[in-house]
């Protein structure tokens, strides 16, 4: 925001605001406003056409009516009018990327009609109807509109890492509710890591007995969450990381490692030595048994093997593995990992699964049915597509990196100028945001995912040309409340944690600061604090939110201050008042920090904010005087 003011005073240029309209998120593929409003009262109901009963659709309609009633205070579902819902069929027995999620919606003053080829399409349409609900002096209504909608990409997901820090089932369920609200359709569940193995195996019980600290999902809980996701049109893709990131496997079953062991759960974060032994038949027998058991829990046709960041020293130093590589003419560790992946892919195929892996698995010998997930950059995504592999993007969408919604919003799986032929471009399935868990707990995870994930969801659903950042933030401000109504805790997180940090003292000054500042980047925190798994995540940085909404408001105010009309005067006065209040936070926080140790980490941020406020006031003073002197800009 300060940069915006400085750019204006440096050049003497002023900006005009962009237009505003609806609050839908994601934006539909086609939207045409019409004249009139459909009034909502207790007679509003949903009539489902067709005699074939679909329990999933029925439950979706029940959730819709309950949420619409909570939003309006109306006792809905008591009459025969309202929304006519027509669904051609239930869709795929096991949802896949080929599922048809399209729908059409028409609202007139006389009623509304929602049509979809599948139950999943109907669920997407119902979410849009909920977002359309509005009010005026006469009460609640739906605006007259015609919508024809379908997703731009078929794979739109969120990865949740529960290996480094475990997230209980209730945390996963509320993320699924939020995902459904913004039309995401894949939960990528990262279930094993060096720091923990999180699923109950009855065939190999030592996995959870020794590799989880007792923090794992029972098979009953897995089935319940998979069913919960399916009810909302969301697939669950499990990830069991191998051959690296696999220490927790070997705590109970060291025989399948490339080194002698013994092993303990890793408490630090990073890339570690323990690696599966790809040269022994027993390794594949073990994995076949495990996959056979887990395949019954996870019906999705895709299975993620990880495959990233293989450290490799156990392979280089094991004489038996080196001899195996010579016999099989495997020139390097990359070739040995490709050998492992081919055998693993064959096992998955026998159990009806297609392999997904991070982009390190991209190799000339990779089976052609593999899906490659890019975390290292879009170049590997493009390269995989050129080689004939289907791919999904995660580079640029790491939520733990603490980037802004704007940064994530402008990342595109098929950016302009990608130089892909249409056939290769069609192999880009979409993408996934990633919530890695080094720095999150069940208390803070909502604030790290939401509401920024809604911006990524829009990028994956809406047309490519929907890229207006100020308008995205305007609609995201509305989505914050909608997501909170689902039970997500992102809105109350900062105040709740700040009051605890203040330890009985007045927390208002700390809350005031945390409404404006954001957490340091992932790499900065990792190097500064050197966390381990047991470190309590109860610091000021944990209470801060990435891209806090007050920053959005400050940027909006800065744009208004640059308007070439009378509105700028009020905006500049408001900004000046804000800068004065920002500067006052530093001495107040110094005083609080003298009494409360956990507040002291926030003092440097308060002092930096005071310096920013001083620059802001000077910038306001330069406005209207023409271009600022170069010495001042410097």
């Amino acid at each position: 925001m300060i940069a915006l003011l400085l750019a204006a005073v440096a050049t003497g240029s002023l900006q005009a605001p962009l237009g505003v309209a609806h609050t839908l998120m994601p934006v539909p593929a086609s939207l045409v406003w019409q004249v009139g409003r459909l009034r909502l009262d207790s007679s509003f109901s949903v009539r489902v056409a067709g005699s074939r009963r679909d329990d999933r659709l029925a439950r979706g309609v029940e959730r819709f009516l309950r949420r619409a009633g909570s939003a309006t205070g109306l006792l809905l579902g008591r009459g025969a009018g309202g929304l006519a819902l027509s669904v051609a069929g239930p869709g795929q027995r096991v949802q896949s990327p080929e599922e048809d999620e399209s729908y059409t919606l028409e609202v007139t003053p006389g009623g509304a009609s929602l049509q979809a080829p599948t139950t999943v399409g109907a669920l997407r349409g119902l979410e849009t109807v909920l977002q359309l609900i509005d009010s005026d002096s006469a009460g609640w209504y739906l605006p007259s509109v015609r919508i024809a909608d379908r997703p731009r990409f078929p794979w739109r997901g969120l990865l949740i890492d529960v290996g480094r820090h475990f997230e209980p089932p209730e945390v996963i369920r509320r993320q699924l509710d939020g995902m459904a609200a913004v039309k995401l359709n894949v939960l990528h569940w990262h279930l094993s890591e060096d720091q923990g193995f999180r699923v109950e195996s009855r065939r190999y019980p030592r996995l959870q007995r020794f590799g989880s600290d007792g923090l794992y999902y029972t098979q009953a809980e897995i089935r319940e969450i998979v069913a919960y996701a399916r009810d909302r049109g969301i697939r669950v893709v499990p990830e069991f990381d191998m051959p690296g990131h696999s220490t927790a496997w070997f705590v109970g079953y060291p025989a399948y490692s490339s080194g002698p062991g013994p092993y303990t759960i890793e408490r630090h974060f990073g890339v570690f030595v323990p690696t599966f032994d790809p040269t022994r038949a027993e390794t594949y027998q073990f994995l076949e048994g495990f996959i056979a058991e887990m395949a019954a829990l996870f019906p999705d046709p895709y299975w993620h093997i990880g495959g990233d960041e293989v450290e490799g020293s156990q392979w280089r130093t094991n004489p038996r593995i080196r001899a195996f590589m010579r016999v099989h003419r495997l020139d390097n560790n990359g070739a040995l990992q490709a050998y492992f992946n081919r055998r693993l892919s064959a096992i998955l195929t026998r159990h009806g699964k297609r392999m997904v892996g991070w982009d390190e698995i991209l190799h000339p010998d990779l089976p052609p049915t593999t899906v490659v997930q890019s975390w290292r950059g879009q170049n590997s995504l493009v390269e995989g597509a050129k080689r004939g592999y289907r791919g999904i993007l995660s580079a640029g969408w790491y939520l733990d990196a603490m980037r802004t919604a704007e940064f994530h919003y402008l990342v595109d799986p098929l950016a302009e100028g990608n130089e892909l032929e249409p056939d290769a471009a069609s192999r880009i399935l979409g993408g996934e945001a990633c919530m890695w868990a080094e720095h999150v707990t069940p208390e803070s995870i909502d604030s790290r995912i939401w509401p920024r994930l809604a911006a990524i969801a829009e990028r994956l659903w809406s047309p490519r040309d929907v890229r207006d950042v100020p308008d995205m933030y305007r609609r995201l401000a509305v989505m914050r409340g909608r997501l909170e109504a689902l039970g997500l805790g992102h809105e109350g997180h900062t105040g709740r944690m700040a009051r605890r940090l203040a330890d009985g003292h007045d927390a208002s000054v700390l809350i005031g600061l945390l409404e404006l500042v954001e957490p340091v980047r992932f790499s900065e925190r990792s190097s500064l604090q050197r966390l381990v798994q047991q470190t309590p995540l109860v610091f000021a940085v944990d209470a801060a939110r990435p891209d806090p909404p007050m920053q959005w408001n400050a940027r909006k105010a800065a744009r208004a201050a640059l308007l070439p009309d009378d509105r700028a005067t009020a905006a500049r006065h408001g900004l000046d008042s804000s800068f004065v209040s920002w500067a006052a936070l530093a001495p107040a926080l110094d005083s609080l920090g003298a009494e409360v140790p956990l507040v002291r980490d926030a003092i440097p941020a308060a002092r930096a904010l005071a310096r920013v406020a001083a620059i802001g006031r000077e910038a306001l003073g330069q406005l209207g005087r023409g271009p600022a002197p170069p010495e001042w800009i410097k």
Side-chain angles (χ1 to χ4, degrees):
M1 182 270 293
I2 294 296
L4 184 65
L5 290 175
L6 292 179
V9 298
T11 63
S13 65
L14 301 178
Q15 274 188 335
L18 298 167
V20 297
H22 61 82
T23 61
L24 297 177
M25 196 168 203
V27 173
S30 172
L31 184 152
V32 179
W33 298 108
Q34 302 181 105
V35 177
R37 295 174 175 180
L38 172 62
R39 290 293 167 184
L40 301 181
D41 55 32
S42 59
S43 67
F44 183 90
S45 189
V46 178
R47 306 184 312 279
V48 180
S51 58
R52 182 175 179 181
R53 180 171 177 78
D54 181 355
D55 290 341
R56 183 165 57 147
L57 180 60
R59 289 189 292 271
V61 170
E62 289 175 4
R63 289 195 303 274
F64 166 82
L65 290 170
R66 184 169 61 250
R67 289 169 58 194
S70 295
T72 62
L74 298 172
L75 183 60
L76 302 175
R78 302 290 171 168
L83 176 63
L85 177 56
S86 175
V87 182
Q92 297 176 326
R93 185 181 63 82
V94 177
Q95 189 175 326
S96 79
E98 286 71 45
E99 182 75 272
D100 191 337
E101 300 179 77
S102 66
Y103 68 91
T104 60
L105 172 67
E106 183 164 15
V107 180
T108 71
S113 171
L114 173 61
Q115 296 182 326
T118 68
T119 291
V120 175
L123 296 175
R124 306 294 181 243
L126 289 172
E127 292 293 343
T128 299
V129 176
L130 285 167
Q131 291 189 16
L132 284 168
I133 295 174
D134 205 343
S135 63
D136 59 17
S137 59
W140 298 98
Y141 68 89
L142 293 174
S144 293
V145 68
R146 224 174 34 248
I147 292 174
D149 203 8
R150 63 174 58 248
R152 181 177 169 213
F153 292 103
W155 192 304
R156 309 177 310 280
L158 169 66
L159 176 148
I160 299 180
D161 168 18
V162 298
R164 293 176 174 88
H165 280 110
F166 181 71
E167 301 293 340
E170 61 271 18
V171 174
I172 304 301
R173 284 193 293 268
R174 67 178 184 250
Q175 308 315 318
L176 289 166
D177 287 335
M179 291 170 65
V182 293
K183 300 182 173 65
L184 291 172
N185 67 353
V186 178
L187 170 64
H188 175 166
W189 211 354
H190 187 84
L191 289 161
S192 72
E193 253 304 335
D194 295 294
Q195 294 79 18
F197 192 94
R198 304 303 185 192
V199 176
E200 175 193 19
S201 172
R202 295 171 184 170
R203 179 170 290 188
Y204 303 113
R206 295 170 67 91
L207 286 170
Q208 72 269 11
R209 186 182 305 162
F210 297 106
S212 74
D213 293 315
L215 298 172
Y216 63 90
Y217 305 101
T218 66
Q219 293 198 3
E221 287 171 331
I222 292 286
R223 290 191 180 93
E224 189 274 330
I225 288 172
V226 169
Y228 193 91
R230 176 172 166 74
D231 254 16
R232 288 151 182 78
I234 298 173
R235 303 162 42 218
V236 178
V237 176
E239 179 182 350
F240 295 98
D241 220 333
M242 58 185 83
H245 283 287
S246 51
T247 304
W249 293 80
F250 306 138
V251 179
Y253 295 93
Y256 305 111
S257 169
S258 298
Y263 296 97
T264 58
I265 295 172
E266 182 58 62
R267 301 305 181 183
H268 293 81
F269 301 118
V271 178
F272 301 100
V273 168
T275 311
F276 272 96
D277 186 343
T279 69
R280 299 179 58 215
E282 294 86 351
T283 297
Y284 301 102
Q285 293 166 3
F286 168 73
L287 292 174
E288 176 109 40
F290 176 77
I291 289 169
E293 181 184 18
M294 293 295 114
L297 296 177
F298 296 100
D300 195 84
Y302 290 85
W303 180 290
H304 208 296
I305 65 161
D308 58 315
E309 298 180 321
V310 179
E311 192 272 347
S313 62
Q314 286 189 334
W315 292 352
R316 290 190 297 269
T317 58
N318 186 315
R320 181 179 50 76
I321 291 177
R322 301 302 299 174
F324 179 94
M325 292 175 67
R326 288 192 295 272
V327 169
H328 289 80
R329 299 182 180 179
L330 302 172
D331 296 334
N332 50 46
N333 282 358
L336 181 59
Q337 185 174 354
Y339 170 87
F340 174 80
N341 288 340
R342 288 196 306 275
R343 296 200 60 175
L344 187 56
S345 180
I347 293 172
L348 290 169
T349 299
R350 286 196 291 274
H351 295 281
K353 307 296 182 185
R354 293 183 63 170
M355 188 166 76
V356 188
W358 298 103
D359 47 9
E360 286 96 327
I361 71 172
L362 194 57
H363 187 276
D365 294 334
L366 187 67
T369 57
T370 308
V371 175
V372 179
Q373 183 166 5
S374 172
W375 73 274
R376 295 185 297 179
Q378 289 185 311
N379 289 342
S380 61
L381 184 75
V382 170
E383 181 61 28
K386 288 180 177 178
R387 293 193 203 176
Y389 296 102
R390 298 207 285 176
I392 51 180
L393 180 69
S394 285
W397 289 334
Y398 271 34
L399 296 171
D400 58 309
M402 303 299 164
R403 295 284 191 172
T404 64
E406 176 180 2
F407 174 87
H408 296 309
Y409 190 63
L410 297 177
V411 173
D412 196 301
L414 279 173
E416 290 188 27
N418 59 69
E419 300 180 353
L420 284 175
E421 296 295 330
D423 184 55
S426 70
R427 289 192 279 272
I428 306 299
L429 300 179
E432 292 178 354
C434 296
M435 185 67 260
W436 300 106
E438 287 93 337
H439 301 162
V440 298
T441 65
E443 179 181 23
S444 64
I445 189 170
D446 293 8
S447 71
R448 272 54 185 147
I449 294 175
W450 304 102
R452 292 178 300 153
L453 181 59
I456 299 171
E458 179 160 284
R459 174 59 52 239
L460 289 166
W461 179 281
S462 301
R464 183 207 297 271
D465 60 1
V466 178
R467 295 176 61 83
D468 182 337
V469 171
D471 191 61
M472 176 274 290
Y473 272 119
R474 179 187 62 81
R475 290 177 290 111
L476 193 60
V478 179
M479 281 303 302
R480 290 166 51 200
R482 293 171 178 160
L483 293 163
E484 185 181 34
L486 289 169
L488 290 158
H490 53 288
E491 289 301 300
H493 169 75
T494 294
R496 184 171 55 248
M497 182 169 271
R499 285 186 288 273
R500 192 168 77 244
L501 290 173
D503 192 30
H505 295 76
D506 182 3
S508 59
V509 62
L510 180 58
I511 293 172
L513 176 71
L514 293 176
E515 287 178 340
L516 291 159
V517 302
E518 60 191 359
V520 295
R521 301 282 185 256
F522 175 89
S523 59
E524 293 171 322
R525 183 173 189 183
S526 297
S527 61
L528 289 168
Q529 199 173 13
R530 301 195 180 279
L531 302 170
V532 297
Q533 190 183 35
Q534 304 97 323
T535 302
L537 299 179
V538 293
F539 301 94
V541 66
D542 298 299
R545 290 175 61 179
D547 199 10
M550 282 291 287
Q551 290 192 8
W552 316 348
N553 296 335
R555 288 194 289 272
K556 181 179 178 181
R559 286 193 297 271
L562 303 179
L563 291 172
D565 57 36
D566 293 341
R567 288 173 292 175
T569 301
R572 293 175 191 182
H573 179 74
L575 275 176
D576 189 66
S577 297
S578 294
F579 293 149
V580 171
S581 66
W582 295 4
L585 290 171
L589 204 65
D590 282 341
S591 177
L592 180 61
E595 301 291 331
V596 185
L598 280 176
V599 170
R600 293 168 191 165
D601 284 347
I603 291 175
R607 292 173 179 172
L609 185 65
R611 292 195 293 275
V612 169
I615 295 169
R617 296 197 77 191
E618 291 182 22
L620 286 174
Q622 291 285 350
L623 287 174
R625 300 177 187 169
E631 297 79 11
W632 182 85
I633 293 295
K634 184 178 179 179

